[in-house]
Amino acid sequence: MTKPVSEDIRFRMMRALEVDPKLSQRDLARSLGISLGVVNYCLKGLIEKGQVKVGNFRASGNKLRYTYVLTPRGVLAKAKLTKAFLKRRMAEHDALIAEIEALKREIDSEVAGQGASQKA
């Protein structure tokens, strides 16, 4: 059984392809920091769902390359993934802010405690 690709990877891949549909799978893997196999697997899934359309173009001379263009269905899916991604990131941000504030209070109380013990 294969492991499903995370929403973050699909979101980042669709975002990258929207910016540059001529990215090769190898370039996508490199820029996203994931394996070429994961890129291939994810692209196949996006194509099967009708969210990405594959086209051909000539990179140079006789060498054919592919373009990966988001379809209208893909644009809608990306919008939903963007909303979910933003919601997760905002929750992470709020949790980090709370942790930072707690650490600041902890440090302040330790410093205050040391100051009181030095006076005694």
Side-chain angles (χ1 to χ4, degrees):
M1 184 170 171
T2 59
K3 183 179 175 186
V5 176
S6 78
E7 282 188 0
D8 284 355
I9 291 174
R10 281 190 294 136
F11 165 71
R12 291 171 40 219
M13 185 175 295
M14 292 174 88
R15 191 170 164 197
L17 291 175
E18 191 172 45
V19 171
D20 186 2
K22 293 183 179 181
L23 280 173
S24 70
Q25 288 187 24
R26 193 170 307 281
D27 291 337
L28 264 174
R30 195 174 300 118
S31 69
L32 299 178
I34 58 179
S35 75
L36 186 56
V38 169
V39 168
N40 186 274
Y41 176 79
C42 186
L43 273 174
K44 282 182 180 180
L46 292 171
I47 292 164
E48 286 174 8
K49 290 179 182 179
Q51 296 174 354
V52 171
K53 181 176 76 171
V54 181
N56 294 325
F57 74 97
R58 293 213 178 270
S60 64
N62 60 359
K63 189 175 184 181
L64 263 182
R65 299 257 321 250
Y66 298 101
T67 58
Y68 301 100
V69 180
L70 294 184
T71 64
R73 183 182 291 174
V75 171
L76 181 62
K78 182 185 160 281
K80 288 178 182 178
L81 288 171
T82 300
K83 185 176 180 181
F85 181 83
L86 186 57
K87 186 176 180 179
R88 281 191 308 277
R89 293 297 190 202
M90 289 176 72
E92 289 172 10
H93 176 265
D94 292 345
L96 280 172
I97 294 296
E99 185 177 1
I100 289 168
E101 292 303 319
L103 288 170
K104 284 180 180 179
R105 286 190 301 273
E106 186 179 317
I107 289 171
D108 289 344
S109 67
E110 287 177 4
V111 169
Q114 286 181 354
S117 66
Q118 288 178 354
K119 288 181 182 178

